[in-house]
Every structure is written in structure tokens, then in C-alpha cells.
Amino acid sequence: MKLRLLVPLLVFGLVAIGALVVPAALTIAQQRTQQLERQRVEAFDQIVQRSFAAVSNVGSGSGTNLAVLDRYLERFYDTYREPVMVADGTGAKVTSIGQIPEGDATDRVVSDALRGIPQLELPTVYPWSDAWVVAARPLKTDGNVSAGVVAIGISQEQARQDVAWGWVQLGSVGSLLIAGLLVLGAVWTRWVLRPVRVLDTAANALAEQRRVESAGVTGPPELRRLATSFERMAQNVEAALDQQRGLIADASHQLRNPLAAIRLRIDALATHGAGEGSKGLPGEASGEAAEDIAAVTHDLDRLEGTLERMLKFAHAEHRASRRQSEVPELAEPRAGLGGGSGFLDGAGRGSGATPPEESFVSAATLVEPHRSALAAAGVRLELAGETEPVRAACNLSDLEEMVEILLDNAGKYAGSGSVVRVALCREQDRVILQVSDSGPGLSDGDLEQIGARFWRAVQHRDQPGTGLGHAILSQLACGNESTVRVDRAPEGGLRTRIEMGAL
């Protein structure tokens, strides 16, 4: 946008400066040409007077006037270093000094002068004009008949240099004007666009759920009001998000105590019901009560699991938001895997942000606690790539939590007989954690939905789960300035790739 404002301004300025400089340059050339003409016209008058007397007495045998003319021509040549030729009415040369430039142009000028047409008007002198130009003037009698001609070879070298130097000075002034226009244009566009930059920064911060910093805005009044209104809106949205996070955490925390009380009552009812049933309740009624209690206990387990996940999600989201608020500028997006569906781009490292914690761990160490659970589900676990520990810019507990989420999902949804491959390796300045499986995977539409809170695929809704696993994973990655990509694995199932900073 800065270029869109600056380029038209510069084009208009160049046109305006050109409209001033070009006529001024032409004026310099014309004035120098007129000065040259005036100088030579005075000399022409003196030469014509003496030449007329000399040409008139050529046939009388007197050489006095010719001698006077020759002396004057010598003084003229010593002064201007320009050749002069005097010819009679037939075109025969009477006297000369120096060498008149030869050519068609010279012949034409002399011929016109012999016919009584003076050739004193010089063409405008430019730096690229010819070094010499010939001017001629007829020697007219009382009957307006040409008795001869005087031709002078006029040097334009000094005039050309003067015009060139004048143009250089004029060009310097024009360049200074252009430089000044460029500086003023840059300052002006910066002033005009400052509210737009503030809006852009605030919009990026709002999109990344970072804190919107209030800054003094300068610029046009309309844009200042727009920037102020947007900042106020962003702060309201930020406050609403904070209230939402607080509500999730508070509600999850406050519901734990009532759920614990309900569980105690259900456990007591189950124990009491078993005792009463043994004393006299019909066997069928006792069995139905036991089934109802077991169903309620199962629902309580699900509810407690959901609340536990919501607390983890609220905690991870709070940490991710705090991490993003420390990043002063929007980072350059990092490239993900082609053809996949990514649901999070972690914040880039900005100057002034607190560096993330580090972990020095191997893939084998991360997956070891989950081997037995995967084996019980009929899922075979394999390690791929490097086996040596790597140093990653990620909190160790968060890294373990992310691996737990991915392996727990693989155990539940990949299916018995499938293979899960885990790789942890370093690629240049990044550490890559990749988990893939050979299960049935998800459709393209479902891949676009993964990562949404409480979302579960239709085919998985009859299995235990809350739909918060990948949402928690995304917030944990974001809190460690990492990126997550989910796509289809070559084996047919899902492939999750987490890119972390390397230390």
C-alpha cells in the first residue's frame, strides 16, 4: 500500500518537475544562441562596411581598401579564431582568413546571400550541435543588388559547453527537487499509513490471540478514529476470550466437587443396595438396580474424564495465550507438509519473547510408558529414524503429553493389528516429532475438522473420548512455539507432524 501511494506521488512530482526543467533547459539554449548571434552581428557590420569598399574598388586597381580589410580580418581572427571569406558578385573570392568549413550547407548559405537573402539566424545551440556553422551576409548596392558576400565560420564550441554546463546545473537542481520529493513522499506516506500499520498489528495479534498493545496513533483524523475503534474492539474481544477461558476453567474446577459427592453417594448406594438385595429384594430387581448403578457410574467416569480434559485444555490455552502475548510481531509462517490439512501454525520466535524450555529426550523414552497399553489394544509400536536423544525447544512434560494424546488416539482408533510408527529427529534448525499409523484414517472432510474442540468423527462416537485431544495438542504446541500438521499417512492412517525449535 505504501508503494501504491508513493509511486503516483512520485510520477506526478516527476511530471511537474519535468514541466519546469525542460522549458528552462530550452530557454538556456535559446538565450546562449541569441548571445552568440548578437556578438557576430556587430562583427558582421564592421566586416561588411570594409568589404563593400574593397569589393567596389577591385576593378580600379587601388588596394588601399583591401589592405584595410585584411588588417581588420586579422584582428577579428585573432579575437574569435573564426574564418572569414569575402567574395564578389560572381562568387569569386576577394580575400579570406582561416579555412571556411566546406560542404553543401556552406555552398547553400553563400548562394542564398549572393541572391540577396541574408543568412544570419543561427540554429538553437544544444550540447550535441555541430562545432561550426556558416553565416553569410550580402554586400548590397544602392539598387539593392548584391555586389558580393561575406561568409563567417562561427564556432559553437564555447556555446555548446555553456549550454551543457547550464543543463548540468539545472539537472542538479531537478535532482535535488526529486530527492526532496522522495523524502517528503516517504514521510507523508508513513504518516498516512501509520494507523493502517497499527490496525494490521492489532489484527494479527487478535488473530493469534495475542494481547493487543495500545499505541499512540498519528496520521489522518479519519484513520486515527478507525484505529482507535479497532483497538477498542480488539480489547473487548480479548476480554471476552479471557472470560471464556476463565469460565471453562472455573466451571470445570467447580464441578469436580459435586461430581465427587455424587460418586460417593453412588458408591454408598451400590454397597447399600447389594446388602438390601441379599436380605430380601427379588433377584430381578436387584439386578436392574445394579445395572442402573453401573450405568450411572460409567456416565460419571465419562463426565469426570471430560472435566479433566477441559481443565487440561484451559491450562494449555492459557499458556499458549501467554506465550503468544510475549511475541511482539507476527512471525513468518512455516511451511507444512504438502497436500495435508494443518490446524495450527505456532507463533514464531520474536525478539523479546521468553525462550521456551528445553528437553533432551529420545523417541524410545517418550513411547516407553505406552507400550503396554498399545499392546493390549493389539497395536504394534515401531520406532523409525534416529534413536539418539535430541535437544528440542519444548517443555518435557508438554512433549510427553502430546505423545500421550497421539498414542492414545492411535490405540483407540487405529484398530487391532495396525502399526504405529514414531520418529523423533533433527532437520537443520528444527526437531521433528512424527507419529503415523496404518489404521483406517479419516476422510478429507474429517481431516479439515480435526483440532476443533469436542469434534469427533462419526465412526468414533461410540468409543470413549471427549474430542479435546487434538485441541489440547494444538495449544500445547502453540505454547512451545511449535507447529502441527495432520495429513494422511503413506500407510493409510493418520500422520501427525510436530515441528519444534532445535537447540
Side-chain angles (χ1 to χ4, degrees), residues 311-359:
L311 280 173
K312 285 186 177 180
F313 176 77
H315 179 64
E317 190 176 37
H318 172 71
R319 289 179 53 203
S321 177
R322 184 175 60 185
R323 165 63 63 183
Q324 289 175 329
S325 67
E326 295 175 349
V327 181
E329 294 181 357
L330 178 65
E332 293 294 330
R334 300 189 181 103
L337 294 176
S341 173
F343 61 88
L344 173 75
D345 283 336
R349 298 184 187 181
S351 58
T354 304
E357 301 180 27
E358 67 175 71
S359 57

mmCIF file of all heavy atoms in Angstrom, residues 311-359:
data_model
loop_
_atom_site.group_PDB
_atom_site.id
_atom_site.type_symbol
_atom_site.label_atom_id
_atom_site.label_comp_id
_atom_site.label_asym_id
_atom_site.label_seq_id
_atom_site.Cartn_x
_atom_site.Cartn_y
_atom_site.Cartn_z
ATOM 1 N N LEU A 311 -10.070 -29.078 31.892
ATOM 2 C CA LEU A 311 -9.083 -28.379 32.715
ATOM 3 C C LEU A 311 -7.728 -28.353 32.030
ATOM 4 O O LEU A 311 -7.030 -27.325 32.028
ATOM 5 C CB LEU A 311 -8.978 -29.054 34.092
ATOM 6 C CG LEU A 311 -10.061 -28.702 35.102
ATOM 7 C CD1 LEU A 311 -9.925 -29.561 36.347
ATOM 8 C CD2 LEU A 311 -9.992 -27.226 35.466
ATOM 9 N N LYS A 312 -7.338 -29.486 31.429
ATOM 10 C CA LYS A 312 -6.065 -29.510 30.706
ATOM 11 C C LYS A 312 -6.099 -28.541 29.529
ATOM 12 O O LYS A 312 -5.123 -27.844 29.258
ATOM 13 C CB LYS A 312 -5.771 -30.930 30.202
ATOM 14 C CG LYS A 312 -5.326 -31.891 31.287
ATOM 15 C CD LYS A 312 -4.929 -33.227 30.680
ATOM 16 C CE LYS A 312 -4.416 -34.177 31.775
ATOM 17 N NZ LYS A 312 -4.014 -35.487 31.211
ATOM 18 N N PHE A 313 -7.236 -28.537 28.811
ATOM 19 C CA PHE A 313 -7.353 -27.633 27.668
ATOM 20 C C PHE A 313 -7.274 -26.171 28.106
ATOM 21 O O PHE A 313 -6.587 -25.354 27.473
ATOM 22 C CB PHE A 313 -8.669 -27.893 26.937
ATOM 23 C CG PHE A 313 -8.922 -26.948 25.807
ATOM 24 C CD1 PHE A 313 -8.261 -27.097 24.604
ATOM 25 C CD2 PHE A 313 -9.811 -25.883 25.951
ATOM 26 C CE1 PHE A 313 -8.491 -26.219 23.557
ATOM 27 C CE2 PHE A 313 -10.041 -25.003 24.915
ATOM 28 C CZ PHE A 313 -9.378 -25.169 23.712
ATOM 29 N N ALA A 314 -7.990 -25.814 29.184
ATOM 30 C CA ALA A 314 -7.962 -24.435 29.658
ATOM 31 C C ALA A 314 -6.549 -24.042 30.080
ATOM 32 O O ALA A 314 -6.087 -22.933 29.797
ATOM 33 C CB ALA A 314 -8.935 -24.264 30.825
ATOM 34 N N HIS A 315 -5.848 -24.962 30.748
ATOM 35 C CA HIS A 315 -4.484 -24.668 31.175
ATOM 36 C C HIS A 315 -3.560 -24.503 29.964
ATOM 37 O O HIS A 315 -2.755 -23.556 29.909
ATOM 38 C CB HIS A 315 -3.980 -25.797 32.076
ATOM 39 C CG HIS A 315 -2.573 -25.612 32.550
ATOM 40 N ND1 HIS A 315 -2.180 -24.576 33.364
ATOM 41 C CD2 HIS A 315 -1.443 -26.335 32.292
ATOM 42 C CE1 HIS A 315 -0.881 -24.658 33.613
ATOM 43 N NE2 HIS A 315 -0.410 -25.719 32.971
ATOM 44 N N ALA A 316 -3.675 -25.405 28.989
ATOM 45 C CA ALA A 316 -2.832 -25.302 27.792
ATOM 46 C C ALA A 316 -3.153 -24.049 26.999
ATOM 47 O O ALA A 316 -2.247 -23.364 26.488
ATOM 48 C CB ALA A 316 -3.033 -26.548 26.911
ATOM 49 N N GLU A 317 -4.442 -23.695 26.885
ATOM 50 C CA GLU A 317 -4.820 -22.496 26.148
ATOM 51 C C GLU A 317 -4.300 -21.237 26.833
ATOM 52 O O GLU A 317 -3.846 -20.293 26.179
ATOM 53 C CB GLU A 317 -6.338 -22.433 26.011
ATOM 54 C CG GLU A 317 -6.825 -21.362 25.047
ATOM 55 C CD GLU A 317 -8.323 -21.403 24.876
ATOM 56 O OE1 GLU A 317 -9.029 -21.668 25.873
ATOM 57 O OE2 GLU A 317 -8.794 -21.171 23.756
ATOM 58 N N HIS A 318 -4.341 -21.242 28.170
ATOM 59 C CA HIS A 318 -3.823 -20.085 28.905
ATOM 60 C C HIS A 318 -2.325 -19.931 28.679
ATOM 61 O O HIS A 318 -1.829 -18.818 28.452
ATOM 62 C CB HIS A 318 -4.123 -20.254 30.395
ATOM 63 C CG HIS A 318 -3.468 -19.212 31.250
ATOM 64 N ND1 HIS A 318 -3.867 -17.900 31.262
ATOM 65 C CD2 HIS A 318 -2.411 -19.291 32.109
ATOM 66 C CE1 HIS A 318 -3.107 -17.201 32.086
ATOM 67 N NE2 HIS A 318 -2.220 -18.025 32.617
ATOM 68 N N ARG A 319 -1.592 -21.035 28.722
ATOM 69 C CA ARG A 319 -0.147 -20.957 28.499
ATOM 70 C C ARG A 319 0.168 -20.531 27.075
ATOM 71 O O ARG A 319 1.091 -19.743 26.831
ATOM 72 C CB ARG A 319 0.486 -22.319 28.788
ATOM 73 C CG ARG A 319 0.506 -22.681 30.252
ATOM 74 C CD ARG A 319 1.116 -24.037 30.471
ATOM 75 N NE ARG A 319 2.420 -24.110 29.840
ATOM 76 C CZ ARG A 319 3.000 -25.243 29.481
ATOM 77 N NH1 ARG A 319 2.386 -26.381 29.679
ATOM 78 N NH2 ARG A 319 4.188 -25.233 28.917
ATOM 79 N N ALA A 320 -0.617 -21.051 26.092
ATOM 80 C CA ALA A 320 -0.385 -20.653 24.700
ATOM 81 C C ALA A 320 -0.668 -19.171 24.510
ATOM 82 O O ALA A 320 0.081 -18.461 23.824
ATOM 83 C CB ALA A 320 -1.265 -21.491 23.767
ATOM 84 N N SER A 321 -1.744 -18.676 25.124
ATOM 85 C CA SER A 321 -2.065 -17.262 25.012
ATOM 86 C C SER A 321 -0.992 -16.400 25.649
ATOM 87 O O SER A 321 -0.608 -15.348 25.116
ATOM 88 C CB SER A 321 -3.424 -16.988 25.667
ATOM 89 O OG SER A 321 -3.728 -15.611 25.643
ATOM 90 N N ARG A 322 -0.478 -16.837 26.784
ATOM 91 C CA ARG A 322 0.583 -16.079 27.444
ATOM 92 C C ARG A 322 1.848 -16.088 26.603
ATOM 93 O O ARG A 322 2.535 -15.063 26.482
ATOM 94 C CB ARG A 322 0.866 -16.680 28.823
ATOM 95 C CG ARG A 322 1.883 -15.895 29.638
ATOM 96 C CD ARG A 322 2.021 -16.484 31.012
ATOM 97 N NE ARG A 322 2.466 -17.871 30.940
ATOM 98 C CZ ARG A 322 2.579 -18.667 32.013
ATOM 99 N NH1 ARG A 322 2.244 -18.217 33.203
ATOM 100 N NH2 ARG A 322 2.993 -19.904 31.875
ATOM 101 N N ARG A 323 2.169 -17.206 25.978
ATOM 102 C CA ARG A 323 3.353 -17.281 25.124
ATOM 103 C C ARG A 323 3.195 -16.365 23.919
ATOM 104 O O ARG A 323 4.114 -15.643 23.542
ATOM 105 C CB ARG A 323 3.565 -18.722 24.675
ATOM 106 C CG ARG A 323 4.531 -18.903 23.505
ATOM 107 C CD ARG A 323 5.925 -18.459 23.832
ATOM 108 N NE ARG A 323 6.515 -19.252 24.895
ATOM 109 C CZ ARG A 323 7.715 -19.038 25.406
ATOM 110 N NH1 ARG A 323 8.445 -18.039 24.939
ATOM 111 N NH2 ARG A 323 8.175 -19.781 26.376
ATOM 112 N N GLN A 324 2.012 -16.376 23.301
ATOM 113 C CA GLN A 324 1.789 -15.536 22.127
ATOM 114 C C GLN A 324 1.824 -14.057 22.477
ATOM 115 O O GLN A 324 2.229 -13.232 21.677
ATOM 116 C CB GLN A 324 0.462 -15.896 21.465
ATOM 117 C CG GLN A 324 0.498 -17.250 20.774
ATOM 118 C CD GLN A 324 -0.856 -17.634 20.222
ATOM 119 O OE1 GLN A 324 -1.887 -17.277 20.763
ATOM 120 N NE2 GLN A 324 -0.859 -18.391 19.131
ATOM 121 N N SER A 325 1.375 -13.708 23.670
ATOM 122 C CA SER A 325 1.399 -12.299 24.059
ATOM 123 C C SER A 325 2.814 -11.784 24.247
ATOM 124 O O SER A 325 3.049 -10.579 24.221
ATOM 125 C CB SER A 325 0.617 -12.097 25.364
ATOM 126 O OG SER A 325 1.276 -12.740 26.455
ATOM 127 N N GLU A 326 3.790 -12.704 24.396
ATOM 128 C CA GLU A 326 5.182 -12.290 24.543
ATOM 129 C C GLU A 326 5.841 -12.065 23.197
ATOM 130 O O GLU A 326 6.923 -11.506 23.118
ATOM 131 C CB GLU A 326 5.983 -13.352 25.299
ATOM 132 C CG GLU A 326 5.526 -13.528 26.744
ATOM 133 C CD GLU A 326 6.252 -14.673 27.427
ATOM 134 O OE1 GLU A 326 6.937 -15.424 26.705
ATOM 135 O OE2 GLU A 326 6.126 -14.819 28.643
ATOM 136 N N VAL A 327 5.213 -12.526 22.093
ATOM 137 C CA VAL A 327 5.787 -12.382 20.757
ATOM 138 C C VAL A 327 5.363 -11.043 20.199
ATOM 139 O O VAL A 327 4.186 -10.807 19.956
ATOM 140 C CB VAL A 327 5.319 -13.524 19.829
ATOM 141 C CG1 VAL A 327 5.943 -13.383 18.457
ATOM 142 C CG2 VAL A 327 5.691 -14.867 20.443
ATOM 143 N N PRO A 328 6.294 -10.099 19.977
ATOM 144 C CA PRO A 328 5.906 -8.753 19.575
ATOM 145 C C PRO A 328 5.397 -8.631 18.162
ATOM 146 O O PRO A 328 4.657 -7.738 17.838
ATOM 147 C CB PRO A 328 7.204 -7.946 19.760
ATOM 148 C CG PRO A 328 8.299 -8.944 19.578
ATOM 149 C CD PRO A 328 7.750 -10.240 20.114
ATOM 150 N N GLU A 329 5.816 -9.513 17.259
ATOM 151 C CA GLU A 329 5.433 -9.375 15.863
ATOM 152 C C GLU A 329 4.994 -10.717 15.335
ATOM 153 O O GLU A 329 5.411 -11.772 15.800
ATOM 154 C CB GLU A 329 6.601 -8.853 15.013
ATOM 155 C CG GLU A 329 7.006 -7.441 15.366
ATOM 156 C CD GLU A 329 8.130 -6.968 14.485
ATOM 157 O OE1 GLU A 329 8.602 -7.773 13.664
ATOM 158 O OE2 GLU A 329 8.542 -5.806 14.613
ATOM 159 N N LEU A 330 4.163 -10.651 14.333
ATOM 160 C CA LEU A 330 3.720 -11.870 13.666
ATOM 161 C C LEU A 330 4.874 -12.514 12.939
ATOM 162 O O LEU A 330 5.567 -11.878 12.167
ATOM 163 C CB LEU A 330 2.599 -11.545 12.662
ATOM 164 C CG LEU A 330 2.055 -12.714 11.856
ATOM 165 C CD1 LEU A 330 1.359 -13.700 12.776
ATOM 166 C CD2 LEU A 330 1.082 -12.218 10.793
ATOM 167 N N ALA A 331 5.080 -13.793 13.199
ATOM 168 C CA ALA A 331 6.217 -14.482 12.585
ATOM 169 C C ALA A 331 5.867 -14.911 11.173
ATOM 170 O O ALA A 331 4.713 -14.993 10.773
ATOM 171 C CB ALA A 331 6.593 -15.705 13.417
ATOM 172 N N GLU A 332 6.929 -15.190 10.405
ATOM 173 C CA GLU A 332 6.729 -15.725 9.067
ATOM 174 C C GLU A 332 6.163 -17.131 9.182
ATOM 175 O O GLU A 332 6.636 -17.942 9.986
ATOM 176 C CB GLU A 332 8.064 -15.772 8.314
ATOM 177 C CG GLU A 332 8.624 -14.407 8.003
ATOM 178 C CD GLU A 332 7.753 -13.663 7.017
ATOM 179 O OE1 GLU A 332 7.113 -14.337 6.198
ATOM 180 O OE2 GLU A 332 7.701 -12.431 7.094
ATOM 181 N N PRO A 333 5.138 -17.474 8.432
ATOM 182 C CA PRO A 333 4.591 -18.821 8.526
ATOM 183 C C PRO A 333 5.590 -19.848 8.058
ATOM 184 O O PRO A 333 6.347 -19.618 7.134
ATOM 185 C CB PRO A 333 3.366 -18.766 7.601
ATOM 186 C CG PRO A 333 3.641 -17.646 6.665
ATOM 187 C CD PRO A 333 4.466 -16.655 7.437
ATOM 188 N N ARG A 334 5.578 -20.989 8.726
ATOM 189 C CA ARG A 334 6.490 -22.059 8.354
ATOM 190 C C ARG A 334 5.766 -23.027 7.434
ATOM 191 O O ARG A 334 4.576 -23.293 7.578
ATOM 192 C CB ARG A 334 6.975 -22.811 9.596
ATOM 193 C CG ARG A 334 7.721 -21.899 10.564
ATOM 194 C CD ARG A 334 8.354 -22.758 11.650
ATOM 195 N NE ARG A 334 9.050 -21.893 12.592
ATOM 196 C CZ ARG A 334 8.582 -21.575 13.777
ATOM 197 N NH1 ARG A 334 7.428 -22.034 14.170
ATOM 198 N NH2 ARG A 334 9.270 -20.786 14.595
ATOM 199 N N ALA A 335 6.496 -23.568 6.492
ATOM 200 C CA ALA A 335 5.891 -24.458 5.507
ATOM 201 C C ALA A 335 5.553 -25.786 6.151
ATOM 202 O O ALA A 335 6.341 -26.350 6.905
ATOM 203 C CB ALA A 335 6.847 -24.665 4.332
ATOM 204 N N GLY A 336 4.374 -26.298 5.885
ATOM 205 C CA GLY A 336 3.983 -27.599 6.386
ATOM 206 C C GLY A 336 4.110 -28.653 5.308
ATOM 207 O O GLY A 336 4.673 -28.436 4.249
ATOM 208 N N LEU A 337 3.561 -29.842 5.568
ATOM 209 C CA LEU A 337 3.625 -30.917 4.598
ATOM 210 C C LEU A 337 2.644 -30.647 3.486
ATOM 211 O O LEU A 337 1.521 -30.192 3.719
ATOM 212 C CB LEU A 337 3.284 -32.248 5.285
ATOM 213 C CG LEU A 337 4.304 -32.698 6.343
ATOM 214 C CD1 LEU A 337 3.792 -33.965 6.996
ATOM 215 C CD2 LEU A 337 5.664 -32.919 5.734
ATOM 216 N N GLY A 338 3.046 -30.916 2.246
ATOM 217 C CA GLY A 338 2.163 -30.667 1.114
ATOM 218 C C GLY A 338 1.017 -31.643 1.090
ATOM 219 O O GLY A 338 1.135 -32.804 1.461
ATOM 220 N N GLY A 339 -0.133 -31.147 0.627
ATOM 221 C CA GLY A 339 -1.291 -31.999 0.469
ATOM 222 C C GLY A 339 -1.977 -32.372 1.744
ATOM 223 O O GLY A 339 -2.853 -33.210 1.756
ATOM 224 N N GLY A 340 -1.621 -31.801 2.879
ATOM 225 C CA GLY A 340 -2.219 -32.161 4.142
ATOM 226 C C GLY A 340 -3.138 -31.091 4.655
ATOM 227 O O GLY A 340 -3.348 -30.058 4.059
ATOM 228 N N SER A 341 -3.698 -31.353 5.802
ATOM 229 C CA SER A 341 -4.574 -30.386 6.461
ATOM 230 C C SER A 341 -3.942 -30.016 7.772
ATOM 231 O O SER A 341 -3.850 -30.821 8.674
ATOM 232 C CB SER A 341 -5.953 -30.994 6.679
ATOM 233 O OG SER A 341 -6.746 -30.137 7.448
ATOM 234 N N GLY A 342 -3.479 -28.791 7.897
ATOM 235 C CA GLY A 342 -2.872 -28.346 9.142
ATOM 236 C C GLY A 342 -3.871 -27.546 9.935
ATOM 237 O O GLY A 342 -4.679 -26.812 9.403
ATOM 238 N N PHE A 343 -3.847 -27.675 11.296
ATOM 239 C CA PHE A 343 -4.792 -26.929 12.098
ATOM 240 C C PHE A 343 -4.126 -25.979 13.047
ATOM 241 O O PHE A 343 -4.808 -25.293 13.809
ATOM 242 C CB PHE A 343 -5.706 -27.869 12.889
ATOM 243 C CG PHE A 343 -4.975 -28.762 13.869
ATOM 244 C CD1 PHE A 343 -4.713 -28.331 15.151
ATOM 245 C CD2 PHE A 343 -4.563 -30.013 13.494
ATOM 246 C CE1 PHE A 343 -4.063 -29.151 16.045
ATOM 247 C CE2 PHE A 343 -3.917 -30.831 14.390
ATOM 248 C CZ PHE A 343 -3.660 -30.412 15.666
ATOM 249 N N LEU A 344 -2.800 -25.849 12.994
ATOM 250 C CA LEU A 344 -2.161 -24.856 13.854
ATOM 251 C C LEU A 344 -0.839 -24.466 13.266
ATOM 252 O O LEU A 344 -0.059 -25.310 12.867
ATOM 253 C CB LEU A 344 -1.938 -25.419 15.268
ATOM 254 C CG LEU A 344 -1.107 -24.484 16.170
ATOM 255 C CD1 LEU A 344 -1.957 -23.313 16.619
ATOM 256 C CD2 LEU A 344 -0.526 -25.194 17.352
ATOM 257 N N ASP A 345 -0.572 -23.177 13.231
ATOM 258 C CA ASP A 345 0.762 -22.655 12.984
ATOM 259 C C ASP A 345 1.199 -21.978 14.248
ATOM 260 O O ASP A 345 0.643 -20.946 14.627
ATOM 261 C CB ASP A 345 0.775 -21.633 11.828
ATOM 262 C CG ASP A 345 0.690 -22.341 10.503
ATOM 263 O OD1 ASP A 345 1.072 -23.516 10.464
ATOM 264 O OD2 ASP A 345 0.237 -21.726 9.530
ATOM 265 N N GLY A 346 2.174 -22.518 14.901
ATOM 266 C CA GLY A 346 2.625 -21.946 16.163
ATOM 267 C C GLY A 346 3.260 -20.602 15.950
ATOM 268 O O GLY A 346 3.732 -20.259 14.895
ATOM 269 N N ALA A 347 3.300 -19.787 16.981
ATOM 270 C CA ALA A 347 3.898 -18.461 16.893
ATOM 271 C C ALA A 347 5.377 -18.580 16.670
ATOM 272 O O ALA A 347 6.055 -19.426 17.212
ATOM 273 C CB ALA A 347 3.619 -17.686 18.174
ATOM 274 N N GLY A 348 5.917 -17.729 15.828
ATOM 275 C CA GLY A 348 7.350 -17.713 15.600
ATOM 276 C C GLY A 348 8.057 -17.027 16.725
ATOM 277 O O GLY A 348 7.488 -16.353 17.564
ATOM 278 N N ARG A 349 9.356 -17.175 16.781
ATOM 279 C CA ARG A 349 10.132 -16.559 17.839
ATOM 280 C C ARG A 349 10.357 -15.110 17.526
ATOM 281 O O ARG A 349 10.944 -14.766 16.527
ATOM 282 C CB ARG A 349 11.481 -17.262 17.999
ATOM 283 C CG ARG A 349 11.331 -18.721 18.394
ATOM 284 C CD ARG A 349 12.676 -19.349 18.638
ATOM 285 N NE ARG A 349 12.528 -20.772 18.844
ATOM 286 C CZ ARG A 349 13.523 -21.584 19.100
ATOM 287 N NH1 ARG A 349 14.748 -21.128 19.151
ATOM 288 N NH2 ARG A 349 13.309 -22.860 19.290
ATOM 289 N N GLY A 350 9.935 -14.251 18.362
ATOM 290 C CA GLY A 350 10.149 -12.830 18.195
ATOM 291 C C GLY A 350 11.157 -12.352 19.201
ATOM 292 O O GLY A 350 11.335 -12.926 20.266
ATOM 293 N N SER A 351 11.840 -11.282 18.874
ATOM 294 C CA SER A 351 12.785 -10.709 19.803
ATOM 295 C C SER A 351 12.036 -10.204 21.015
ATOM 296 O O SER A 351 11.011 -9.562 20.933
ATOM 297 C CB SER A 351 13.530 -9.552 19.125
ATOM 298 O OG SER A 351 12.613 -8.589 18.692
ATOM 299 N N GLY A 352 12.522 -10.510 22.187
ATOM 300 C CA GLY A 352 11.880 -10.078 23.409
ATOM 301 C C GLY A 352 10.993 -11.144 24.002
ATOM 302 O O GLY A 352 10.507 -10.995 25.118
ATOM 303 N N ALA A 353 10.703 -12.257 23.292
ATOM 304 C CA ALA A 353 9.880 -13.321 23.836
ATOM 305 C C ALA A 353 10.735 -14.218 24.720
ATOM 306 O O ALA A 353 11.903 -14.466 24.457
ATOM 307 C CB ALA A 353 9.258 -14.140 22.707
ATOM 308 N N THR A 354 10.119 -14.712 25.798
ATOM 309 C CA THR A 354 10.833 -15.615 26.691
ATOM 310 C C THR A 354 11.129 -16.920 25.957
ATOM 311 O O THR A 354 10.217 -17.521 25.389
ATOM 312 C CB THR A 354 9.979 -15.895 27.934
ATOM 313 O OG1 THR A 354 9.650 -14.655 28.552
ATOM 314 C CG2 THR A 354 10.734 -16.780 28.906
ATOM 315 N N PRO A 355 12.378 -17.371 25.920
ATOM 316 C CA PRO A 355 12.682 -18.598 25.195
ATOM 317 C C PRO A 355 11.999 -19.797 25.836
ATOM 318 O O PRO A 355 11.859 -19.870 27.066
ATOM 319 C CB PRO A 355 14.217 -18.698 25.306
ATOM 320 C CG PRO A 355 14.571 -17.876 26.486
ATOM 321 C CD PRO A 355 13.568 -16.782 26.552
ATOM 322 N N PRO A 356 11.517 -20.751 25.049
ATOM 323 C CA PRO A 356 10.840 -21.915 25.610
ATOM 324 C C PRO A 356 11.819 -22.801 26.358
ATOM 325 O O PRO A 356 13.030 -22.727 26.175
ATOM 326 C CB PRO A 356 10.282 -22.620 24.365
ATOM 327 C CG PRO A 356 11.187 -22.200 23.252
ATOM 328 C CD PRO A 356 11.611 -20.802 23.582
ATOM 329 N N GLU A 357 11.246 -23.641 27.226
ATOM 330 C CA GLU A 357 12.082 -24.593 27.941
ATOM 331 C C GLU A 357 12.607 -25.644 26.965
ATOM 332 O O GLU A 357 12.097 -25.805 25.867
ATOM 333 C CB GLU A 357 11.274 -25.240 29.066
ATOM 334 C CG GLU A 357 10.734 -24.238 30.073
ATOM 335 C CD GLU A 357 9.936 -24.916 31.165
ATOM 336 O OE1 GLU A 357 10.214 -26.102 31.440
ATOM 337 O OE2 GLU A 357 9.035 -24.275 31.724
ATOM 338 N N GLU A 358 13.622 -26.361 27.411
ATOM 339 C CA GLU A 358 14.218 -27.364 26.531
ATOM 340 C C GLU A 358 14.064 -28.742 27.123
ATOM 341 O O GLU A 358 13.874 -28.927 28.338
ATOM 342 C CB GLU A 358 15.700 -27.056 26.296
ATOM 343 C CG GLU A 358 16.568 -27.197 27.531
ATOM 344 C CD GLU A 358 18.025 -26.987 27.204
ATOM 345 O OE1 GLU A 358 18.403 -25.828 26.914
ATOM 346 O OE2 GLU A 358 18.777 -27.981 27.243
ATOM 347 N N SER A 359 14.120 -29.733 26.240
ATOM 348 C CA SER A 359 14.069 -31.133 26.660
ATOM 349 C C SER A 359 15.095 -31.914 25.852
ATOM 350 O O SER A 359 15.283 -31.654 24.667
ATOM 351 C CB SER A 359 12.662 -31.707 26.454
ATOM 352 O OG SER A 359 12.258 -31.574 25.098
#
